[in-house]
Amino acid sequence: MKPNRLLPSEEAAAILELAADIADRELAPLADDHEERGAFPRETIRVLGRAGLLGLPYDEADGGGGQPYEVYLQVLEVLAQRWLTVAEAVSVHTLACYPLATFGSPEQRAEHLPALLGGELLGGYCLSEPAGGSDAAALTTRAVRDGDDYVVNGTKAWITHAGVADFYQVFCRTGGPGAAGVSCLFADASTPGIEAARPERKMGLNASPTAQIAFDDARVPAERLVGEEGAGFRIAMSALDSGRLGIAACAVGLAQAACDYATNYAKEREQFGTRIIDFQGVGFMLADMATQIAAARALTLEAARLKDAGRPYSTTAAQAKLFATDMAMKVTTDAVQVLGGYGYVRDHPVERYMREAKVLQIVEGTNQIQRMVIARTMGK
């Protein structure tokens, strides 16, 4: 069922049409094969970059698209509906560009952002560590100033694009314990001493490499410090507010793909001489799926519009991420159920959608963390 979208401009409508056209031609035909082989579609990401779809929410002066966040999120949804790996890649890349775009100096933005936002360079976001995912303020990767460089040592974990990224935003400890001792460094992936481990063997998103990254006396120029020393935790949390909206949009797109596939199947599949969509048990299930998707889309866009208006949106972003990703898990599971035995085999994509949905409840802050964020706000 095609969403009835309210877009802020004719330009936004053209951007979504372009995204859908590229997704249909360049993404959808590759998804099954690349996921089966675990092959990252680097050239496809470049195609999106050259079409101007990798820097949509950032200023045109920095090489971005100058679009509202509500437009960018709907582009993510369109991409995720065809191939979640690519939509997640765009979301993570946008997240990795955020520190420079928002907290970088004018010189840093002028030097680096055009290539980053143009899609020729792909980014990664290095916050989590093997012993600390949700407790980001306890990170132990350390950067010590040595002349004109920072010498970085430690290990980051669960890094999307590890080994294929061209740059990493690295959150590391330059001071004492706690949030006040964390800083952010913009590091070239080719820096000696930065090494990606073997990719994790995951349940889903197999075409998207996720791995640990080791920093062994890696020297990062001091001029690559983003913001001031000690500002890293604030930068990271601000970035994650935006990143959670990206994941929410990805969840909506994935759920829409599952619902559409299950609906088309139910209209064609007959049992007892009747289309199964005409059985109330199946028809009501599909109706609930469509309604939950519409609700998640509305909540996600509400958070985006608050952000675009310059109003506080952190709590709404947490609500959107929580609701949309829980919804995607439920919708994709129900899509498998609609197909019955066929839903459990790889001849149909809904089993992949269900496996992929699970990770969305975990990344950019687990849904337990989202509940903590929301409850903390309620307790004030």
Side-chain angles (χ1 to χ4, degrees):
M1 186 167 65
K2 189 174 182 179
N4 187 15
R5 300 186 187 277
L6 288 174
L7 295 169
S9 66
E10 291 184 5
E11 183 183 14
I15 289 171
L16 255 70
E17 185 176 342
L18 172 65
D21 179 62
I22 293 175
D24 287 335
R25 288 187 294 103
E26 304 282 349
L27 273 60
L30 302 179
D32 285 339
D33 175 66
H34 278 58
E35 292 296 334
E36 185 71 25
R37 294 188 293 112
F40 181 66
R42 184 68 180 89
E43 286 306 312
T44 302
I45 307 300
R46 287 194 176 93
V47 169
L48 295 177
R50 290 164 186 163
L53 298 179
L54 285 190
L56 284 174
Y58 294 123
D59 290 344
E60 291 178 283
D62 291 327
Q67 290 298 310
Y69 227 73
E70 67 167 303
V71 174
Y72 158 66
L73 292 183
Q74 291 182 81
V75 168
L76 274 187
E77 180 191 330
V78 165
L79 299 178
Q81 193 173 344
R82 276 70 169 187
W83 191 2
L84 182 60
T85 283
V86 172
E88 191 216 24
V90 175
S91 181
V92 169
H93 177 76
T94 302
L95 177 68
C97 292
Y98 180 93
L100 269 180
T102 309
F103 295 92
S105 67
E107 294 76 17
Q108 287 174 326
R109 294 200 305 273
E111 181 179 357
H112 301 296
L113 278 179
L116 271 57
L117 301 180
E120 291 304 313
L121 301 179
L122 182 68
Y125 190 82
C126 298
L127 179 61
S128 295
E129 297 186 352
S134 297
D135 188 5
L139 63 82
T140 60
T141 296
R142 179 163 290 279
V144 177
R145 184 69 181 262
D146 182 25
D148 293 333
D149 298 326
Y150 284 97
V151 180
V152 185
N153 285 280
T155 302
K156 293 296 182 178
W158 312 113
I159 307 305
T160 301
H161 301 157
V164 298
D166 300 293
F167 70 91
Y168 299 113
Q169 295 288 356
V170 185
F171 294 89
C172 46
R173 190 162 301 285
T174 55
V182 177
S183 298
C184 178
L185 294 176
F186 169 63
D188 289 337
S190 60
T191 302
I194 299 180
E195 187 79 27
R198 176 182 61 83
E200 305 287 354
R201 300 167 60 202
K202 298 179 298 183
M203 179 188 296
L205 287 179
N206 295 316
S208 175
T210 305
Q212 291 188 2
I213 298 181
F215 296 83
D216 184 10
D217 286 339
R219 302 186 75 90
V220 178
E223 65 185 20
R224 295 294 191 92
L225 175 70
V226 181
E228 301 174 349
E229 278 200 4
F233 188 77
R234 178 168 57 91
I235 293 172
M237 294 302 103
S238 176
L240 286 177
D241 283 340
S242 300
R244 285 165 182 162
L245 291 181
I247 295 302
C250 286
V252 172
L254 181 67
Q256 188 69 66
C259 183
D260 289 349
Y261 196 92
T263 300
N264 290 332
Y265 179 88
K267 289 192 290 187
E268 296 175 0
R269 175 74 166 173
E270 290 190 1
Q271 294 289 278
F272 310 104
T274 302
R275 300 184 310 167
I276 66 172
I277 197 172
D278 295 322
F279 291 112
Q280 192 176 85
V282 174
F284 280 15
M285 183 184 295
L286 293 168
D288 286 344
M289 292 160 68
T291 303
Q292 291 293 299
I293 292 167
R297 179 181 294 115
L299 181 56
T300 301
L301 292 179
E302 173 67 12
R305 288 165 184 149
L306 288 172
K307 174 177 169 57
D308 289 332
R311 296 175 60 182
Y313 72 100
S314 296
T315 302
T316 314
Q319 292 171 331
K321 196 273 182 182
L322 168 64
F323 184 80
T325 58
D326 280 353
M327 174 278 299
M329 191 72 251
K330 178 67 165 60
V331 165
T332 54
T333 302
D334 285 348
V336 171
Q337 190 70 22
V338 169
L339 269 69
Y342 289 110
Y344 198 69
V345 298
R346 296 191 177 187
D347 296 331
H348 298 271
V350 289
E351 63 84 27
R352 172 164 64 83
Y353 298 158
M354 186 178 78
R355 289 186 286 106
E356 291 175 341
K358 184 62 203 173
V359 76
L360 300 178
Q361 295 177 300
I362 299 171
V363 297
E364 308 288 14
T366 67
N367 282 4
Q368 286 67 38
I369 290 294
Q370 306 312 315
R371 290 177 169 91
M372 288 175 58
V373 170
I374 297 162
R376 190 181 300 128
T377 303
M378 295 170 69
K380 289 182 179 178

